[in-house]
Amino acid sequence: MDLPLWLPGQKQQQQALSAKIAAELPAYQQALKLEASGEVRQQIWQVKLAEAQLEQAKLTWETAKKLQNDVESRVKAGDLASTERLLAGSNTLEAHSKMVNAASLLQQRLKIYQLITGENTLPKQVEETVITPSEDVQQHPQLQLQDQLIARLQAQMGLAQYDGAVNPSLSVGVRRERGDRAEDYTNSLGIGFSMALDDKAYRQPAIAQASAELADAQVTRQSLWRDLKTRQVAAHEELNSSRQQLDLITEQNKTTQQYYQLQKRAFDLGEINLIDLLRSQALANDNESRKRLLEVQIKQQISKLNQSHGIILSNN
């Protein structure tokens, strides 16, 4: 019977490696949850943007229909030429076409959301608040997973010194013999011990490979840290810029809406023609749509910022 023996420190290194491998699983699970959160966030806000576009398209269509009804009434009363009815009708058809396209886009986004998430409806609560746990990214799930990987490789490098080594071996054997039939059996126990005097040459390749893998992992960690910090800074700046743009476009929208109302009054009084009114209406609609979409995009950017900070979506 041969009994291989542990080399000095070999058992402890193997136990340390097992512990590092076990600790890597929770970090891997958190990293997967964060990746899934990013995909869900992206799909949710694609749907919300499509909803906002459809909402604005419906409002534009309703405005066009009201204007068409007003024009038709004035044509019947003889206040406007019959050609104005055709222009108003064309404007309504164009608005209706855009609304149909927006509705189709929303259905497309919903189907993709359902395909990826397996859910038929959006969560009741989709808006997020800005969560910045720390300027440091050390708690980010991706970085923690990389740290666990480095810890495992460090343990593997410690164990690599035994890879290819020849473990001492203890041999135990029992022998039973006798000289002739008249003699009693003689029982004997044999013990043998073998060990390698110098197996360093066999261990060096494994040590070198483990060292290279550890160095690569440490370089990857540095690159990951820089990438995470860059994404956080970019997300913060994008959010701040959008908020400033929203303030400006809100003021612009007030002015544009006032201009449209003045143009509409001038049209009612016969001071301008329908083409001029439609131009001012298109300007007002475009400005209102930009404002509404920017409001939704800011909420989307908040979720993107939280994603860059490693915030995992809850299951609710």
Side-chain angles (χ1 to χ4, degrees), residues 148-284:
Q148 290 296 333
L149 174 62
I150 289 174
R152 173 169 62 80
L153 290 175
Q154 288 173 335
Q156 285 181 339
M157 189 174 70
L159 193 61
Q161 61 182 309
Y162 304 100
D163 192 6
V166 179
N167 286 55
S169 178
L170 177 65
S171 301
V172 179
V174 177
R175 187 175 182 181
R176 190 181 188 195
E177 59 185 356
R178 66 180 179 178
D180 54 42
R181 292 183 179 181
E183 295 180 356
D184 294 333
Y185 282 97
T186 301
N187 299 319
S188 61
L189 177 67
I191 299 177
F193 179 77
S194 64
M195 63 177 294
L197 295 178
D198 186 10
D199 57 0
K200 183 177 180 180
Y202 297 99
R203 292 181 287 172
Q204 284 301 319
I207 295 174
Q209 181 178 355
S211 299
E213 291 177 355
L214 177 59
D216 289 342
Q218 290 171 335
V219 171
T220 299
R221 186 192 186 281
Q222 293 176 352
S223 298
L224 177 60
W225 184 88
R226 288 194 297 268
D227 181 59
L228 291 174
K229 291 296 293 183
T230 300
R231 277 189 277 169
Q232 288 182 3
V233 170
H236 274 287
E237 291 302 319
E238 185 179 25
L239 178 59
N240 291 335
S241 175
S242 294
R243 283 173 168 169
Q244 293 174 3
Q245 290 179 43
L246 181 60
D247 291 338
L248 294 174
I249 201 171
T250 299
E251 290 299 317
Q252 182 184 2
N253 189 53
K254 292 179 181 178
T255 303
T256 304
Q257 294 299 329
Q258 290 175 355
Y259 173 71
Y260 169 64
Q261 293 301 324
L262 290 175
Q263 289 290 90
K264 189 174 183 303
R265 183 178 302 175
F267 174 74
D268 292 339
L269 296 174
E271 297 175 357
I272 62 174
N273 58 33
L274 182 57
I275 292 179
D276 291 333
L277 177 62
L278 290 177
R279 287 173 180 169
S280 62
Q281 185 185 79
L283 180 63

Side-chain angles (χ1 to χ4, degrees), residues 95-108:
H96 191 195
S97 176
K98 290 181 178 179
M99 189 200 71
V100 171
N101 288 336
S104 176
L105 176 62
L106 175 57
Q107 289 302 313
Q108 177 185 339

Side-chain angles (χ1 to χ4, degrees), residues 115-152:
L115 178 65
I116 291 178
T117 66
E119 300 291 336
N120 293 323
T121 58
L122 297 183
K124 294 181 179 179
Q125 179 64 33
V126 298
E127 296 183 22
E128 301 179 46
T129 56
V130 177
I131 302 175
T132 52
S134 171
E135 290 299 323
D136 193 5
V137 297
Q138 301 301 326
Q139 299 304 313
H140 195 285
Q142 290 180 338
L143 200 60
Q144 287 190 326
L145 176 60
Q146 189 66 22
D147 287 339
Q148 290 296 333
L149 174 62
I150 289 174
R152 173 169 62 80

